[in-house]
Amino acid sequence: MRIIGIDPGTGILGFGVIDVDNSSKGTTLRYKLVDAGVIRTPVKEDETVRLQTIFEELCTVIAETKPAEMAVEKLFFAQNITTAMSVAQARGVAIVAGTQAGLKVSEYTPLQIKQALTGYGRADKKQMQEMARVLLGLKDIPKPDDCADALATAITHSMSIKVD
């Protein structure tokens, strides 16, 4: 199964596309990185233009990689209400892009993602990034952080569903 994970943000939106295989029918899932990166928008650009850019670029990623499902990180909390609103809008745009492409969309809190990857809900970023690297069999930790977070979200989703 192919899954796209999303780490929402207006300035930087991370995405990670993985293939998940359970052909051995055992309890171990095997992962393969398909594509990962970020969509960046200029800070000084109008908010509506930034959201349109995110939508269009994410639609392109979805069309090119053809995932079956989408996993989006939920907004947990934010110190700044303006930032929270901006991230929430980017989440909405990502969800619309996914549903418009016919993807089933699931959402996970940072706590759920940390627990799924490390078994510890208070794992730090370095632990999360290292687990994403190990599970995907990568030589280096995925960069930037937004990309690694998106991959962790996709991996979490794979652990939460039945993979054939």
Side-chain angles (χ1 to χ4, degrees):
M1 171 180 288
R2 186 163 287 180
I3 301 168
I4 184 169
I6 303 294
D7 179 42
T10 305
I12 303 174
L13 179 136
F15 67 89
V17 183
I18 61 171
D19 280 338
V20 185
D21 181 34
N22 187 23
S23 58
S24 64
K25 301 296 180 202
T27 57
T28 304
L29 297 174
R30 287 179 284 169
Y31 300 97
K32 179 182 174 201
L33 176 65
V34 175
D35 191 16
V38 295
I39 298 169
R40 296 180 189 270
T41 62
V43 175
K44 296 193 188 299
E45 198 165 52
D46 182 72
E47 189 81 18
T48 57
V49 174
R50 293 174 86 184
L51 293 171
Q52 180 70 29
T53 299
I54 291 168
F55 179 78
E56 289 172 354
E57 290 191 27
L58 190 52
C59 284
T60 299
V61 169
I62 291 169
E64 290 174 355
T65 61
K66 298 177 178 37
E69 298 192 11
M70 175 184 275
V72 182
E73 184 175 334
K74 281 186 182 180
L75 181 61
F76 186 61
F77 77 95
Q79 301 275 359
N80 181 326
I81 190 69
T82 304
T83 302
M85 290 175 65
S86 178
V87 172
Q89 289 176 321
R91 275 184 77 253
V93 166
I95 290 168
V96 170
T99 55
Q100 188 176 46
L103 307 181
K104 178 182 180 239
V105 179
S106 300
E107 300 174 85
Y108 300 92
T109 65
L111 177 67
Q112 289 172 309
I113 296 167
K114 289 174 182 182
Q115 286 178 327
L117 262 71
T118 69
Y120 180 57
R122 294 183 186 253
D124 64 28
K125 272 225 187 271
K126 291 284 185 213
Q127 290 171 299
M128 296 296 297
Q129 292 168 347
E130 179 61 14
M131 283 306 300
R133 183 195 72 75
V134 169
L135 289 170
L136 290 166
L138 303 176
K139 181 180 171 188
D140 298 312
I141 290 174
K143 295 284 181 190
D145 291 353
D146 311 87
C147 177
D149 291 348
L151 288 165
T153 304
I155 292 167
T156 297
H157 183 63
S158 74
M159 295 175 177
S160 303
I161 60 171
K162 183 179 185 235
V163 177
D164 294 323

